[in-house]
Amino acid sequence: IDTSDRPNIQTTISLHGMPPRGTNAFAAMHSPLLLFTSTGDSFVTASGYVTPNYEQSRVQTFYATLEDSTAGHLYVVDPNATACIASAALGECRGAQAERAPVVAWLRYWVCGDQAAKRFFFEDDCTLCQSPWTMPQRKLWP
């Protein structure tokens, strides 16, 4: 989110993300934002961090929660990474299969204009509007 104010940024994705360090990051953001969290992330909680990011966002934003108690903060880290040593405190480290496809779809839609990728985010029956995803929220959505 801190770097989303750069003119060449076409979209921003924040996976289990902390709030920006810069005080004007949301005011300077100019492109769509995708936010993910999971029910298993006890390190960067939805209520403490990700939801406030959604609330402060001033751009078109999609926010989804992965209903998976084993998908902790390091869920998106390579299972072979040294950082997974901290998995006992931050959640299980394993491949983030549930988050990969939506991330790719988001980039394909916003960067490449791939209309087939819209099915992940648009309409009431969107991919991220169905299990294992819960509580999809949209801001400034068409």
Side-chain angles (χ1 to χ4, degrees), residues 16-17 26-27 29 31 58 62 65-68 75 77 92 96 103 112 131 137 139:
H16 305 255
F26 287 109
M29 186 182 286
S31 59
R58 299 180 187 177
F62 191 99
T65 300
L66 178 62
E67 186 72 35
D68 184 344
Y75 175 68
V77 175
E92 183 179 340
V103 165
C112 303
S131 181
Q137 298 177 61
K139 180 184 273 190

Side-chain angles (χ1 to χ4, degrees), residues 34-119:
L34 175 62
L35 296 169
F36 282 160
T37 191
S38 72
T39 55
D41 192 343
S42 60
F43 182 67
V44 175
T45 61
S47 62
Y49 299 98
V50 188
T51 300
N53 286 341
Y54 176 79
E55 292 167 349
Q56 292 181 58
S57 172
R58 299 180 187 177
V59 297
Q60 196 169 5
T61 305
F62 191 99
Y63 174 21
T65 300
L66 178 62
E67 186 72 35
D68 184 344
S69 62
T70 67
H73 188 69
L74 293 179
Y75 175 68
V76 298
V77 175
D78 182 341
N80 297 318
T82 305
C84 285
I85 293 169
S87 66
L90 302 176
E92 183 179 340
C93 291
R94 56 190 172 86
Q97 293 84 359
E99 292 179 351
R100 282 191 191 126
V103 165
V104 171
W106 185 263
L107 293 171
R108 289 190 59 81
Y109 179 72
W110 292 107
V111 178
C112 303
D114 182 350
Q115 295 302 302
K118 282 180 79 168
R119 67 183 168 85

